Amino acid sequence: MRETKKRTRPVIESGASLNKKQLIRYIVILALAISLIPFTIDPYLPAFPEVADFFGVPNGVVQSSLAGVTFGLAVGQLIAGPLSDALGRRVPLILALAGFGFSAIAVFFAPSFEVLLALRFAMAFFAASADVIARAVVRDLYKGEPMQKMLSQIYLIQALAPIAGPILGAQLLGFLPWQGVFVVFGLIGLVIALAAQISLIETLPEGQRRSISPIGIARGYLSVLQDRPYIGLMVFGAAQIAGLFGYLNTVSFLYQDGFGLNQSDFGFWFAFNAVASYLGVQLGTYLAKFFQGQWMLLVYGLIGVFAGALMMIT
C-alpha cells in the first residue's frame, strides 16, 4: 500500500528568514491590519447626522452605535488571541480581514438601525481580531530590539490611519451616500485579506500552539490578572479609552450642529486632532529616554484631566 504523507504548511519562525521584499510586504499588511480599528470608527463620524435622519432616530441613539463598537472591540480581543494561539496566525488573520470587509459592505443593505448596530459590532469584532493577531505575528518573528524596530516601522504606516480615515470619509460623503463610505472601506478590508492570502506565511509552528480548552484559556487569563503592573496599565488604558470614546460620541454633532462645520471641514479638523495625537506619541517616545514611564503616565494623565476641565468650562 502506498503511504500517505500529511502535508504541512510552510512555517517561518524568525524575521531573519524574510528577504527584503517579504519584509516590506509584512510591514504593509500588518500595518493595514492594525489600521482596521480606526477604520471602524473615524471615517463614519461625519455621517452621524445623516444616519440619524436616514433611520429617523435621535442623535443620542446614533451615538449609542459606538457602544456596540466598543463591545465588539473588547470581545474580538478576548476571543482572537486564544484562537490564534491554538489555530495559528495566518488563517485567523485572513478570516478576520475578510470578515471586516464583508460586514462593512453589508451595511449598505441594512434595513434598520438595529441591523446597522449589529454590523458595526461585527466590524469592530473582526477589526480587533485582526489587530491582536497582527501584533502576535510580530511577536512570533522578533524579540527584544528587533521587535521594537519592526513595530516602529509598522506604526509609521498605521499612524496615518486616524489622519487619513476622517478626511477620506468626509470627501466620500461629498458624492456618495453615507452607506457608500462603508462599502469603500469594506473593499479595502477585502483587498488586505487578499494580500495576506497571497503574501503571508504561518509564523506559529504546530508544536508551539496552545490548547483551546476553556480551562487552558482560563488559566492564561488568571496568570495575566496576577500581574500587578499589567493591572495598573490596564486601568489607566481603560480610563484613556473611556475618554476617547466620550469624545468620539459627541464630536460629530458638536462640530457640525454646534459649530456649523460642514462634513469636509469636520474631516479636516478631526484629522488635525489625529495629527496632534501622533505628535504626542512621538514626544512620549523621545521623553521616555530621559524619564521613567510611571511618572510620564502621571504627568500625561494630569494634563489630560486639566485640558478636559478647560473644555467643559469653555
Side-chain angles (χ1 to χ4, degrees):
M1 296 178 63
R2 181 182 299 176
E3 294 184 2
T4 58
K5 294 183 179 180
K6 183 179 179 182
R7 294 182 62 185
T8 58
R9 292 184 178 275
V11 176
I12 182 168
E13 299 186 43
S14 171
S17 303
L18 297 173
N19 60 43
K20 188 173 182 180
K21 289 184 178 179
Q22 288 177 317
L23 178 61
I24 292 174
R25 290 172 184 169
Y26 268 73
I27 291 172
V28 173
I29 293 172
L30 296 179
L32 292 175
I34 295 175
S35 298
L36 291 189
I37 289 182
F39 283 168
T40 304
I41 302 170
D42 301 343
Y44 319 107
L45 294 176
F48 269 21
E50 286 191 30
V51 175
D53 293 339
F54 182 86
F55 289 111
V57 297
N59 292 342
V61 175
V62 177
Q63 290 172 312
S64 70
S65 67
L66 279 180
V69 170
T70 307
F71 187 58
L73 293 175
V75 175
Q77 293 182 60
L78 289 173
I79 293 179
L83 278 179
S84 70
D85 287 342
L87 304 177
R89 313 297 188 200
R90 182 177 179 273
V91 173
L93 178 58
I94 294 170
L95 292 177
L97 294 168
F100 171 87
F102 286 122
S103 300
I105 292 174
V107 170
F108 187 85
F109 306 99
S112 65
F113 182 76
E114 290 75 17
V115 175
L116 171 68
L117 190 61
L119 291 172
R120 294 282 281 147
F121 168 85
M123 288 176 61
F125 174 87
F126 289 119
S129 299
D131 180 281
V132 167
I133 299 171
R135 296 174 192 272
V137 170
V138 177
R139 189 184 65 222
D140 292 339
L141 295 176
Y142 298 97
K143 300 291 187 294
E145 186 175 342
M147 182 173 67
Q148 294 179 353
K149 182 179 179 181
M150 179 69 167
L151 286 172
S152 67
Q153 293 172 324
I154 288 174
Y155 289 149
L156 282 175
I157 299 174
Q158 187 273 337
L160 298 176
I163 301 172
I167 294 178
L168 180 57
Q171 296 303 315
L172 289 172
L173 285 170
F175 58 90
L176 290 176
W178 63 267
Q179 298 97 326
V181 181
F182 285 88
V183 173
V184 170
F185 280 90
L187 292 174
I188 291 174
L190 294 180
V191 170
I192 303 171
L194 179 60
Q197 167 69 29
I198 295 173
S199 301
L200 295 190
I201 304 172
E202 179 59 58
T203 59
L204 185 64
E206 291 188 9
Q208 297 180 18
R209 298 181 187 181
R210 299 181 180 180
S211 171
I212 200 173
S213 67
I215 295 177
I217 295 175
R219 286 176 178 171
Y221 283 127
L222 182 61
S223 65
V224 169
L225 292 176
Q226 292 174 344
D227 188 336
R228 289 183 62 187
Y230 171 79
I231 295 298
L233 291 172
M234 183 175 66
V235 172
F236 189 92
Q240 183 184 30
I241 293 296
L244 173 63
F245 274 85
Y247 164 71
L248 295 175
N249 257 319
T250 57
V251 67
S252 178
F253 299 104
L254 177 64
Y255 280 15
Q256 295 182 77
D257 296 341
F259 294 113
L261 298 181
N262 59 36
Q263 292 172 338
S264 180
D265 290 338
F266 169 83
F268 171 79
W269 287 110
F270 188 86
F272 182 79
N273 292 159
V275 171
S277 176
Y278 173 77
L279 294 176
V281 171
Q282 301 307 312
L283 177 62
T285 302
Y286 175 75
L287 294 178
K289 300 177 182 178
F290 308 101
F291 302 99
Q292 293 183 339
Q294 62 267 35
W295 294 111
M296 291 182 59
L297 285 177
L298 176 62
V299 172
Y300 270 137
L302 292 175
I303 291 174
V305 170
F306 181 70
L310 288 179
M311 290 181 66
M312 291 181 65
I313 293 172
T314 57

